């Protein structure tokens, strides 16, 4: 089939690689311009460079829908559009243009975790599996009928970086597999159960700020969700921002006020956590490694040389 691809960053790059190795013909690539958003500087292999290296025309757009793009799409005469990590709404005059519609590939198990940063949100929320969904695009974002879906487990100590690599490996196979099903004449796709749908916003600095009233189990997942190279979970100590880059749930149960720098536990320093911390029934967050604003990384025990005082959400 003749394919036009809308794609961006490493997800789009990996998808284009798979399309180029398949029996399908890529006739045009549309990608976003480079962005200064911190989450869009991560996993940023260039779709444009890969397409150009294979002699494929590239158009750069932030938002599609202008007459020039529509005219160029009509000239490309696609059987199908593939969209991978496309960050803005695609209007009906584009996604309905190909003979077989538009196949969108999204890194969550839809209908859950539509929208942005699904792996981070899923890890924070304690999901036991994540995955990738190929679905037919319709007017509602990430809501179209499911063509293929693949899941991978979430391990007890996984980070978002682990989940990124695990799900990225699915993008090429699920895209080519979905196109092969479309080419075979299949149309019996699975409607999404919209009663189970959730849709998440882009992550920003505020979303990485540690709230010490969260239970330690949730904070542990937040730290792993914001693992390098993502912007780390952060807090303030004596007015200075520090990033928590390694932590786990404490072995012991500790009571007091959330944020209290309380006690050493092995090589870690335990911070009291949880809205019910005053009852002493919950665990704390055992902080193992921190990073200061100048980029210096330290063992928590070397940074917190005395116990007492508090970590706070603000300066």
């Amino acid at each position: 089939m003749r394919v036009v691809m809308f794609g961006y960053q490493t997800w789009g790059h990996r998808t284009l690689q798979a399309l180029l190795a398949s029996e399908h013909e890529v006739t045009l690539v549309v990608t976003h311009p480079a962005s200064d958003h911190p989450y869009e500087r991560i996993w940023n292999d260039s779709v444009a460079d890969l397409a150009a290296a294979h002699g494929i025309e590239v158009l750069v757009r932030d938002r599609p829908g202008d007459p020039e793009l529509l005219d160029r799409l009509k000239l490309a005469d696609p059987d199908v559009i593939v969209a991978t990590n496309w960050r803005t709404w695609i209007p009906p005059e584009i996604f309905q243009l190909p003979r077989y519609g538009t196949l969108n590939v999204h890194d969550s198990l839809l209908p859950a975790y539509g929208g942005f940063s699904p792996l981070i949100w899923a890890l924070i929320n304690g999901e036991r599996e994540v995955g990738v969904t190929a679905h037919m695009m319709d007017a509602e974002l990430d809501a179209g009928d499911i063509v293929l879906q693949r899941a991978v487990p979430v391990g007890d100590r996984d980070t978002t970086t682990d989940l990124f690599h695990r799900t990225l490996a699915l993008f090429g196979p699920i895209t080519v597999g979905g196109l092969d099903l479309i080419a075979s004449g299949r149309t019996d796709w699975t409607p999404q159960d919209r009663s189970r749908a959730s849709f998440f916003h882009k992550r920003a600095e505020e979303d990485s700020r540690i709230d010490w009233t969260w239970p330690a189990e949730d904070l542990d997942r937040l730290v792993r969700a914001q693992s390098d190279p993502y912007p780390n979970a952060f807090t303030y100590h004596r007015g200075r921002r520090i990033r928590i880059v390694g932590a786990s749930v404490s072995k012991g149960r500790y009571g007091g006020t959330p944020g209290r720098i309380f006690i050493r536990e092995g090589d870690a320093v335990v911070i009291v956590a949880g809205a019910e911390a005053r009852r002493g029934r919950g665990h704390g967050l055992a902080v193992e490694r921190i990073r200061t604003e100048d980029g210096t990384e330290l063992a928590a025990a070397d940074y917190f040389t005395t116990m007492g005082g508090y970590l706070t959400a603000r300066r």
Side-chain angles (χ1 to χ4, degrees):
M1 289 194 298
R2 292 171 60 83
V3 178
V4 167
M5 198 192 89
F6 282 63
Y8 186 49
Q9 295 182 284
T10 299
W11 297 266
H13 187 277
R14 184 65 61 89
T15 302
L16 181 56
Q17 282 181 323
L19 290 172
L20 292 169
S22 75
E23 297 180 353
H24 304 288
E25 178 189 4
V26 181
T27 59
L28 177 69
V29 166
V30 186
T31 191
H32 288 304
S35 170
D36 289 331
H37 191 285
Y39 285 87
E40 293 183 7
R41 294 197 300 265
I42 306 169
W43 318 125
N44 200 23
D45 295 294
S46 173
V47 170
D49 289 351
L50 178 60
H54 286 81
I56 301 169
E57 182 182 0
V58 179
L59 299 177
V60 179
R61 295 290 190 277
D62 186 15
R63 297 180 181 274
D66 59 275
E68 179 189 358
L69 174 59
L70 189 57
D71 288 344
R72 189 62 197 85
L73 290 170
K74 290 176 180 177
L75 285 173
D77 190 29
D79 295 307
V80 66
I81 290 174
V82 168
T84 305
N85 196 42
W86 189 259
R87 312 296 278 176
T88 56
W89 184 64
I90 297 176
E93 59 266 26
I94 291 179
F95 73 73
Q96 293 175 352
L97 184 148
R99 295 172 183 83
Y100 300 109
T102 294
L103 183 74
N104 186 54
V105 184
H106 180 73
D107 51 341
S108 84
L109 297 174
L110 294 174
Y113 296 97
F116 298 89
S117 303
L119 296 179
I120 294 177
W121 291 111
L123 182 53
I124 289 172
N125 291 332
E127 302 293 350
R128 301 311 302 166
E129 62 179 10
V130 294
V132 176
T133 302
H135 69 96
M136 301 308 299
M137 186 175 288
D138 63 15
E140 187 175 352
L141 292 173
D142 296 331
D145 292 352
I146 294 171
V147 176
L148 282 174
Q149 193 167 72
R150 298 288 182 266
V152 294
V154 178
D156 289 341
R157 301 307 302 162
D158 275 343
T159 67
T160 300
T161 303
D162 297 323
L163 301 181
F164 163 77
H165 289 295
R166 208 169 294 155
T167 54
L168 181 66
L170 301 174
F171 268 72
I174 205 170
T175 301
V176 174
L179 290 179
D180 290 344
L181 288 175
I182 293 169
S184 75
R186 285 273 302 274
T187 58
D188 55 333
W189 316 131
T190 303
Q192 294 188 37
D193 179 356
R194 301 309 294 163
S195 69
R196 297 175 49 242
S198 54
F199 196 88
F200 286 79
H201 62 72
K202 284 184 179 181
R203 290 188 68 79
E205 180 179 70
E206 184 65 24
D207 304 307
S208 300
R209 188 187 305 274
I210 293 175
D211 179 347
W212 291 104
T213 65
W214 283 22
E217 293 80 3
D218 291 357
L219 293 176
D220 169 45
R221 291 195 299 270
L222 175 65
V223 170
R224 288 187 284 118
Q226 297 292 158
S227 62
D228 291 340
Y230 297 94
N232 305 124
F234 68 91
T235 188
Y236 288 92
H237 179 234
R238 297 175 179 170
R240 296 179 179 176
R241 182 187 293 204
I242 59 172
R243 290 177 279 173
I244 308 299
V245 296
S248 58
V249 177
S250 69
K251 295 179 176 65
R253 298 176 185 273
Y254 300 100
T257 299
R260 176 76 173 190
I261 305 162
F262 187 26
I263 193 169
R264 288 187 176 89
E265 191 177 82
D267 294 330
V269 173
V270 177
I271 312 301
V272 177
E276 296 291 303
R278 69 187 184 279
R279 303 186 187 279
R281 298 170 186 166
H283 298 274
L285 186 71
V287 175
E288 297 152 1
R289 299 196 67 79
I290 67 97
R291 188 176 293 145
T292 60
E293 277 297 273
D294 65 3
T296 302
E297 187 170 321
L298 298 164
D302 292 335
Y303 181 82
F304 299 109
T305 55
T306 59
M307 299 298 98
Y310 292 86
L311 298 182
T312 59
R314 310 282 171 179
R315 290 185 189 277

